[in-house]
Amino acid sequence: MIGLQFLIAVSPKASTLKVLDPQSPQAHAIFHLAIVAGIIFAVIFAIVAGMIVYALMRCRWREGEGDPKQVAGNTTVEIVWTLIPCLIVVALFALTWQTMGASDPPPAPEPDIVITGHQWWWEAHYPKSGVVTANEIHIPAGRPFSIRLESADVLHEFWVPQLARKMTTVPGHPNHIWIESDHPGTFLGVCSEFCGTEHAWMHFLIVAETPEQFQAWEKAQLTPAAAPPNDSAARGLALFQQMSCMNCHAIDGTAAIAGVGPNLTHFGSRKILGAGVVDNTRENLRRWLTDPQEVKPGAKMPNFKFTDSQVTELTDYIETLQ
Ligand code: CUA
């Protein structure tokens, strides 16, 4: 593997977006095409640049020289310089065709996940099990997983360079891709199409697990939210239901069922907050609840101007949602 990495974005989880480190058959196919095409382009560049430099040195006008012999045309040369580019284009087309077959097979009849881009976070719905989560998408390692991509508002682009091609999410027009990881691991994904103020903070994590871990995760996600473990958390839940939080968020097992913002049923088990803008820690959750706009300017969640004790109660509750 070449040691180069494009550091396009750095999340607080210290993950970097690795565009030259394929970890799935689909990403390997794209990577190999890029390398082969890059070599072909480099050779063409070297030949063309070499011939220009050679001509400049060898054929430049010298003192006492007359005009060179005038040439009107050369059929052989013209055929050769037409044929060679045609052959290169045909070869690149064949390689691209082959890569598309490997990296972008036809969609499955039923997707394993439906992922919806929102300004500025990702919703993941597993139709076969009913799991709904946000920004942290679990998949079983070692097998292709079919994704249907949708958008709730504008164009976004779903991209996990280590695992798959990129694909636009279009409102009203589902797209499909396959995603796969050769082995368990956590991979950073981003939105790669400008979609508004917080486009740059529309990160997500793909967590590839062994089939057993994945099943256990799905089972845990399907359990309703735990009851508040203490008085402060209970007051937090009451606040959550009174202060219009539930107009946007769902917490399974409570009266909150809205789907405008991320589902918070198991929020405490996620690693990132605000689609990657900060780590999911108690301190950052307090900052977020105190003023989301300070943490992520432009985020759709307004500042509710909670008092300090209200922030503590809400934090006490939401943190227990493991
Ligand atoms: Cu969503 Cu850029």
Side-chain angles (χ1 to χ4, degrees), residues 122-151:
W122 300 92
E123 176 187 345
H125 171 221
Y126 297 65
K128 290 169 188 171
S129 62
V131 169
V132 179
T133 185
N135 301 332
E136 191 174 303
I137 299 159
H138 289 236
I139 61 169
R143 79 169 174 89
F145 223 53
S146 162
I147 302 182
R148 188 168 87 205
L149 287 166
E150 298 182 352
S151 170

Short mmCIF file of all heavy atoms in Angstrom, two decimals, residues 122-151:
data_model
loop_
_atom_site.label_atom_id
_atom_site.label_comp_id
_atom_site.label_asym_id
_atom_site.label_seq_id
_atom_site.Cartn_x
_atom_site.Cartn_y
_atom_site.Cartn_z
N TRP A 122 -26.65 12.33 8.97
CA TRP A 122 -27.09 11.17 8.19
C TRP A 122 -28.01 10.28 9.04
O TRP A 122 -27.68 9.94 10.17
CB TRP A 122 -25.89 10.33 7.75
CG TRP A 122 -24.93 11.08 6.88
CD1 TRP A 122 -23.84 11.79 7.29
CD2 TRP A 122 -24.96 11.20 5.46
NE1 TRP A 122 -23.20 12.35 6.22
CE2 TRP A 122 -23.87 12.00 5.07
CE3 TRP A 122 -25.82 10.72 4.47
CZ2 TRP A 122 -23.60 12.32 3.74
CZ3 TRP A 122 -25.55 11.03 3.15
CH2 TRP A 122 -24.45 11.83 2.80
N GLU A 123 -29.13 9.90 8.44
CA GLU A 123 -30.05 8.99 9.11
C GLU A 123 -29.86 7.60 8.49
O GLU A 123 -29.74 7.48 7.28
CB GLU A 123 -31.48 9.49 8.85
CG GLU A 123 -32.57 8.60 9.39
CD GLU A 123 -33.96 9.09 8.93
OE1 GLU A 123 -34.07 10.24 8.45
OE2 GLU A 123 -34.89 8.29 9.03
N ALA A 124 -29.80 6.59 9.33
CA ALA A 124 -29.66 5.22 8.82
C ALA A 124 -30.82 4.38 9.32
O ALA A 124 -31.08 4.31 10.52
CB ALA A 124 -28.33 4.61 9.28
N HIS A 125 -31.53 3.76 8.39
CA HIS A 125 -32.68 2.92 8.73
C HIS A 125 -32.43 1.53 8.16
O HIS A 125 -32.14 1.40 6.96
CB HIS A 125 -33.95 3.56 8.14
CG HIS A 125 -35.16 2.68 8.24
ND1 HIS A 125 -36.07 2.56 7.23
CD2 HIS A 125 -35.58 1.86 9.23
CE1 HIS A 125 -37.02 1.69 7.59
NE2 HIS A 125 -36.74 1.26 8.80
N TYR A 126 -32.50 0.52 9.00
CA TYR A 126 -32.29 -0.86 8.55
C TYR A 126 -33.66 -1.50 8.38
O TYR A 126 -34.27 -1.94 9.36
CB TYR A 126 -31.48 -1.64 9.60
CG TYR A 126 -30.08 -1.10 9.82
CD1 TYR A 126 -29.86 0.16 10.36
CD2 TYR A 126 -28.96 -1.87 9.49
CE1 TYR A 126 -28.59 0.66 10.55
CE2 TYR A 126 -27.67 -1.38 9.68
CZ TYR A 126 -27.49 -0.12 10.22
OH TYR A 126 -26.23 0.37 10.42
N PRO A 127 -34.20 -1.56 7.14
CA PRO A 127 -35.59 -1.98 6.98
C PRO A 127 -35.85 -3.43 7.41
O PRO A 127 -36.95 -3.75 7.84
CB PRO A 127 -35.85 -1.81 5.47
CG PRO A 127 -34.55 -1.55 4.84
CD PRO A 127 -33.56 -1.17 5.89
N LYS A 128 -34.81 -4.28 7.35
CA LYS A 128 -35.04 -5.69 7.70
C LYS A 128 -35.22 -5.89 9.20
O LYS A 128 -35.93 -6.78 9.63
CB LYS A 128 -33.91 -6.56 7.15
CG LYS A 128 -33.96 -6.64 5.62
CD LYS A 128 -32.73 -7.25 5.00
CE LYS A 128 -32.79 -7.08 3.47
NZ LYS A 128 -31.55 -7.47 2.81
N SER A 129 -34.55 -5.06 10.00
CA SER A 129 -34.67 -5.21 11.46
C SER A 129 -35.49 -4.10 12.09
O SER A 129 -36.04 -4.26 13.18
CB SER A 129 -33.28 -5.23 12.09
OG SER A 129 -32.63 -4.00 11.85
N GLY A 130 -35.56 -2.95 11.43
CA GLY A 130 -36.29 -1.81 12.00
C GLY A 130 -35.41 -0.85 12.78
O GLY A 130 -35.91 0.13 13.33
N VAL A 131 -34.10 -1.10 12.83
CA VAL A 131 -33.20 -0.20 13.57
C VAL A 131 -33.15 1.17 12.87
O VAL A 131 -33.09 1.25 11.64
CB VAL A 131 -31.77 -0.79 13.63
CG1 VAL A 131 -30.77 0.24 14.13
CG2 VAL A 131 -31.75 -2.04 14.50
N VAL A 132 -33.19 2.22 13.67
CA VAL A 132 -33.00 3.58 13.15
C VAL A 132 -31.91 4.24 13.98
O VAL A 132 -31.97 4.23 15.21
CB VAL A 132 -34.29 4.43 13.24
CG1 VAL A 132 -34.03 5.83 12.72
CG2 VAL A 132 -35.41 3.78 12.47
N THR A 133 -30.89 4.78 13.31
CA THR A 133 -29.84 5.46 14.05
C THR A 133 -29.32 6.63 13.22
O THR A 133 -29.87 6.91 12.15
CB THR A 133 -28.72 4.47 14.45
OG1 THR A 133 -27.77 5.15 15.28
CG2 THR A 133 -28.01 3.91 13.23
N ALA A 134 -28.28 7.28 13.71
CA ALA A 134 -27.78 8.46 13.00
C ALA A 134 -26.26 8.53 13.10
O ALA A 134 -25.69 8.29 14.17
CB ALA A 134 -28.38 9.73 13.59
N ASN A 135 -25.65 8.86 11.98
CA ASN A 135 -24.22 9.22 11.90
C ASN A 135 -23.25 8.11 12.25
O ASN A 135 -22.04 8.27 12.05
CB ASN A 135 -23.91 10.44 12.78
CG ASN A 135 -24.73 11.65 12.38
OD1 ASN A 135 -25.12 11.78 11.22
ND2 ASN A 135 -25.03 12.50 13.32
N GLU A 136 -23.71 7.01 12.83
CA GLU A 136 -22.81 5.90 13.12
C GLU A 136 -23.49 4.65 12.57
O GLU A 136 -24.48 4.18 13.12
CB GLU A 136 -22.56 5.77 14.62
CG GLU A 136 -21.44 4.80 14.93
CD GLU A 136 -21.09 4.77 16.41
OE1 GLU A 136 -20.75 5.83 16.98
OE2 GLU A 136 -21.16 3.69 17.00
N ILE A 137 -22.94 4.18 11.44
CA ILE A 137 -23.62 3.13 10.68
C ILE A 137 -22.84 1.83 10.82
O ILE A 137 -21.67 1.76 10.45
CB ILE A 137 -23.73 3.58 9.20
CG1 ILE A 137 -24.56 4.86 9.11
CG2 ILE A 137 -24.32 2.47 8.34
CD1 ILE A 137 -24.33 5.67 7.85
N HIS A 138 -23.48 0.84 11.40
CA HIS A 138 -22.80 -0.45 11.60
C HIS A 138 -23.11 -1.39 10.44
O HIS A 138 -24.24 -1.42 9.95
CB HIS A 138 -23.25 -1.08 12.92
CG HIS A 138 -22.72 -0.38 14.12
ND1 HIS A 138 -21.98 -1.02 15.09
CD2 HIS A 138 -22.79 0.93 14.50
CE1 HIS A 138 -21.63 -0.15 16.03
NE2 HIS A 138 -22.12 1.05 15.70
N ILE A 139 -22.10 -2.13 10.01
CA ILE A 139 -22.30 -3.15 8.97
C ILE A 139 -21.52 -4.41 9.39
O ILE A 139 -20.55 -4.31 10.14
CB ILE A 139 -21.81 -2.69 7.57
CG1 ILE A 139 -20.30 -2.40 7.59
CG2 ILE A 139 -22.57 -1.46 7.10
CD1 ILE A 139 -19.69 -2.20 6.20
N PRO A 140 -21.94 -5.57 8.91
CA PRO A 140 -21.14 -6.76 9.16
C PRO A 140 -19.96 -6.79 8.18
O PRO A 140 -20.14 -6.49 6.99
CB PRO A 140 -22.11 -7.91 8.88
CG PRO A 140 -23.15 -7.34 7.98
CD PRO A 140 -23.19 -5.86 8.19
N ALA A 141 -18.76 -7.10 8.67
CA ALA A 141 -17.58 -7.13 7.79
C ALA A 141 -17.63 -8.37 6.89
O ALA A 141 -18.28 -9.36 7.23
CB ALA A 141 -16.32 -7.14 8.63
N GLY A 142 -16.97 -8.27 5.75
CA GLY A 142 -16.76 -9.45 4.91
C GLY A 142 -17.88 -9.79 3.95
O GLY A 142 -17.80 -10.79 3.24
N ARG A 143 -18.92 -8.98 3.92
CA ARG A 143 -19.94 -9.23 2.90
C ARG A 143 -20.51 -7.91 2.40
O ARG A 143 -20.58 -6.93 3.14
CB ARG A 143 -21.04 -10.15 3.43
CG ARG A 143 -22.08 -9.50 4.31
CD ARG A 143 -23.23 -10.50 4.52
NE ARG A 143 -24.24 -10.03 5.46
CZ ARG A 143 -25.30 -9.32 5.10
NH1 ARG A 143 -25.49 -8.95 3.85
NH2 ARG A 143 -26.19 -8.96 6.01
N PRO A 144 -20.89 -7.89 1.10
CA PRO A 144 -21.43 -6.64 0.57
C PRO A 144 -22.77 -6.30 1.22
O PRO A 144 -23.59 -7.18 1.48
CB PRO A 144 -21.58 -6.92 -0.92
CG PRO A 144 -21.46 -8.37 -1.11
CD PRO A 144 -20.82 -8.96 0.10
N PHE A 145 -22.95 -5.02 1.50
CA PHE A 145 -24.16 -4.51 2.15
C PHE A 145 -24.77 -3.50 1.19
O PHE A 145 -24.10 -2.59 0.72
CB PHE A 145 -23.76 -3.85 3.47
CG PHE A 145 -24.66 -4.18 4.62
CD1 PHE A 145 -24.96 -5.50 4.95
CD2 PHE A 145 -25.20 -3.17 5.39
CE1 PHE A 145 -25.78 -5.81 6.03
CE2 PHE A 145 -26.02 -3.46 6.48
CZ PHE A 145 -26.31 -4.77 6.79
N SER A 146 -26.04 -3.68 0.91
CA SER A 146 -26.69 -2.84 -0.09
C SER A 146 -27.30 -1.60 0.56
O SER A 146 -28.00 -1.71 1.56
CB SER A 146 -27.76 -3.67 -0.79
OG SER A 146 -28.66 -2.85 -1.44
N ILE A 147 -27.02 -0.44 -0.02
CA ILE A 147 -27.52 0.83 0.55
C ILE A 147 -28.42 1.53 -0.45
O ILE A 147 -28.06 1.67 -1.62
CB ILE A 147 -26.35 1.78 0.89
CG1 ILE A 147 -25.40 1.12 1.88
CG2 ILE A 147 -26.88 3.09 1.47
CD1 ILE A 147 -24.26 2.03 2.29
N ARG A 148 -29.58 1.97 0.02
CA ARG A 148 -30.39 2.89 -0.78
C ARG A 148 -30.18 4.28 -0.20
O ARG A 148 -30.31 4.48 1.01
CB ARG A 148 -31.87 2.53 -0.73
CG ARG A 148 -32.68 3.38 -1.72
CD ARG A 148 -34.06 2.85 -1.93
NE ARG A 148 -34.95 3.42 -0.93
CZ ARG A 148 -36.09 2.82 -0.53
NH1 ARG A 148 -36.43 1.67 -1.04
NH2 ARG A 148 -36.84 3.40 0.38
N LEU A 149 -29.85 5.23 -1.07
CA LEU A 149 -29.52 6.59 -0.62
C LEU A 149 -30.64 7.55 -0.97
O LEU A 149 -31.08 7.60 -2.12
CB LEU A 149 -28.23 7.05 -1.28
CG LEU A 149 -26.95 6.38 -0.75
CD1 LEU A 149 -25.80 6.63 -1.69
CD2 LEU A 149 -26.62 6.87 0.64
N GLU A 150 -31.08 8.28 0.04
CA GLU A 150 -32.14 9.27 -0.17
C GLU A 150 -31.72 10.59 0.43
O GLU A 150 -30.74 10.66 1.18
CB GLU A 150 -33.44 8.78 0.48
CG GLU A 150 -33.93 7.47 -0.14
CD GLU A 150 -35.24 6.98 0.44
OE1 GLU A 150 -35.71 7.56 1.42
OE2 GLU A 150 -35.78 6.00 -0.12
N SER A 151 -32.47 11.64 0.12
CA SER A 151 -32.19 12.93 0.73
C SER A 151 -33.48 13.53 1.26
O SER A 151 -34.54 13.38 0.64
CB SER A 151 -31.58 13.90 -0.29
OG SER A 151 -31.55 15.19 0.28
#
